[in-house]
Amino acid sequence: MKGTLYIVATPIGNLEDITLRALRILKEVDLIAAEDTRQTLKLLNHFEISKPLISYHRHNEDVKSEILIEKLENGENIALVSDAGTPGICDPGEEVIKKAIEEDINVVPIPGPCAMINALIASGIDTKEFTFLGFLPLNKKTRKEKLKEIEESEKTIIIYEAPHKMKNTLKELSEILKERKIVLARELTKIHEEFIREDIDSLMEKIEKLKGEMILIIEGKKIENSNQENMLNKLSLEEHYKYYEKQGFDKKEIIKKIAKDRNVSKNEIYMNFIK
Ligand code: SAM
């Protein structure tokens, strides 16, 4: 029988965030594939778990995936962990997971910490729909395209950024964001955890003094026209009429505007409403 590949999320700072299930799986598997074995060893030592480790990082994903797949085919159960948080989210993992699925090997996620989700849920910015962009690309052209995507996005945007690059990224964002809210989440789950909910200019003033791991949550672009249309379409026809009457429009203009807002013909408005 083939083994199972467990994708195990580990703490992003506070060790209390490891789940009971993650601990059990780490104890039960035959092997742990780790992004950095020294980092994972610290975690395992803390929880008194002793297990063989194999390194699995960005630069050896290809070769190590093959080795891991062979072991899984031979019935070994393997836990995949990254340095912190959820493997595969801006961390190695994707390659071996895809290969395992191709080979019909059981892949089981063991849920736990993920920095972007925790930054988002406490940001106070809309959580209904969001786009996670990970780290912005360094290549000038693709970076420009991503910035354009952020400028146009009506959904909340989440970005990971290295602390030493944050100043430059904020500067680029300040040129496109205008009035949109932005939250900087820092050192999540650690002693100096902080959410800075200020405008981008004050963020830029502070950034040189800020240390640690950081995430940006950016409010989606407001769609003022359709918001106003939605608001008006909830009114009765009489209320809708009065809304424009108060603004000084004459009857003909009001009918035209109501018809446009409701996407119906002027005649329909006349027939239903104006006597
Ligand atoms: N796999 C991880 C996850 O599940 O979130 C992400 C790993 S990625 C290489 C590292 C980036 O995640 C950091 O540069 C930072 O943007 C974000 N991050 C990770 N831990 C964080 C923390 N405790 N507080 C704030 N941001 C964090």
Side-chain angles (χ1 to χ4, degrees):
M1 210 175 109
K2 292 181 184 180
T4 295
L5 176 64
Y6 295 96
I7 312 160
V8 183
T10 57
I12 53 170
N14 191 327
L15 292 181
E16 285 178 354
D17 292 333
I18 191 112
T19 70
L20 295 174
R21 189 167 171 222
L23 287 175
R24 177 175 63 76
I25 295 295
L26 291 174
K27 280 179 197 153
E28 284 177 5
V29 288
D30 301 296
L31 179 69
I32 298 174
E35 182 182 7
D36 179 346
T37 51
R38 286 162 307 174
Q39 194 65 26
T40 300
L41 200 56
K42 285 187 215 159
L43 181 82
L44 296 181
N45 286 343
H46 181 87
F47 291 107
E48 298 176 352
I49 298 171
S50 170
K51 217 28 85 171
L53 287 163
I54 182 171
S55 87
Y56 177 91
H57 52 73
R58 284 246 180 274
H59 308 293
N60 67 12
E61 260 192 289
D62 231 21
V63 185
K64 287 294 168 78
S65 291
E66 297 293 343
I67 298 171
L68 294 180
I69 295 295
E70 204 181 310
K71 288 179 181 293
L72 287 158
E73 296 274 13
N74 289 334
E76 286 189 45
N77 292 320
I78 300 177
L80 174 72
V81 298
S82 63
D83 287 354
T86 302
I89 302 297
C90 287
D91 270 344
E94 257 180 300
E95 193 87 21
V96 67
I97 292 162
K98 283 183 186 161
K99 281 198 177 129
I101 293 163
E102 273 166 26
E103 299 305 325
D104 224 9
I105 290 164
N106 195 21
V107 175
V108 177
I110 307 296
C114 181
M116 63 140 163
I117 292 296
N118 291 286
L120 173 68
I121 58 173
S123 67
I125 291 182
D126 210 332
T127 58
K128 278 182 213 72
E129 287 190 278
F130 59 88
T131 305
F132 174 58
L133 294 182
F135 292 96
L136 290 181
L138 297 177
N139 173 284
K140 267 194 181 167
K141 185 169 169 279
T142 39
R143 189 173 178 95
K144 210 171 157 194
E145 284 164 8
K146 280 287 160 204
L147 287 166
K148 190 76 198 153
E149 187 182 332
I150 297 172
E151 185 176 8
E152 295 303 323
S153 176
E154 289 166 10
K155 296 178 187 168
T156 299
I157 295 274
I158 309 173
I159 300 174
Y160 281 172
E161 188 52 288
H164 65 285
K165 293 189 186 145
M166 190 56 102
K167 188 179 170 192
N168 179 52
T169 300
L170 285 175
K171 189 171 169 291
E172 288 174 311
L173 290 171
S174 72
E175 283 155 24
I176 57 164
L177 289 185
K178 303 183 180 87
E179 300 295 300
R180 280 156 69 179
K181 282 187 202 155
I182 183 163
V183 174
L184 187 146
R186 189 173 77 86
E187 292 290 86
L188 293 171
T189 79
K190 304 181 197 174
I191 298 167
H192 299 293
E193 176 177 278
E194 186 181 21
F195 285 84
I196 308 180
R197 302 178 180 88
E198 291 175 13
D199 61 47
I200 195 155
D201 292 335
S202 21
L203 258 186
M204 278 164 67
E205 278 169 27
K206 281 190 175 163
I207 194 65
E208 306 234 36
K209 291 190 195 118
L210 299 177
K211 291 195 174 75
E213 299 196 275
M214 300 175 194
I215 301 177
L216 292 175
I217 312 287
I218 300 164
E219 179 186 43
K221 179 179 163 184
K222 289 205 179 77
I223 27 172
E224 277 155 26
N225 279 348
S226 45
N227 276 349
Q228 189 188 347
E229 268 167 39
N230 282 342
M231 186 272 285
L232 292 174
N233 290 342
K234 281 186 189 138
L235 301 176
S236 69
L237 273 179
E238 284 83 357
E239 289 165 338
H240 205 157
Y241 190 94
K242 279 193 186 122
Y243 173 82
Y244 283 126
E245 195 173 43
K246 270 191 203 151
Q247 292 180 30
F249 292 106
D250 66 29
K251 185 172 162 184
K252 202 171 150 207
E253 284 169 325
I254 295 174
I255 300 297
K256 196 171 154 194
K257 279 181 165 299
I258 296 178
K260 186 164 178 266
D261 289 345
R262 298 187 177 226
N263 200 21
V264 293
S265 71
K266 283 186 280 181
N267 270 350
E268 214 171 315
I269 304 295
Y270 271 114
M271 280 180 347
N272 280 305
F273 175 51
I274 308 292
K275 280 132 196 152

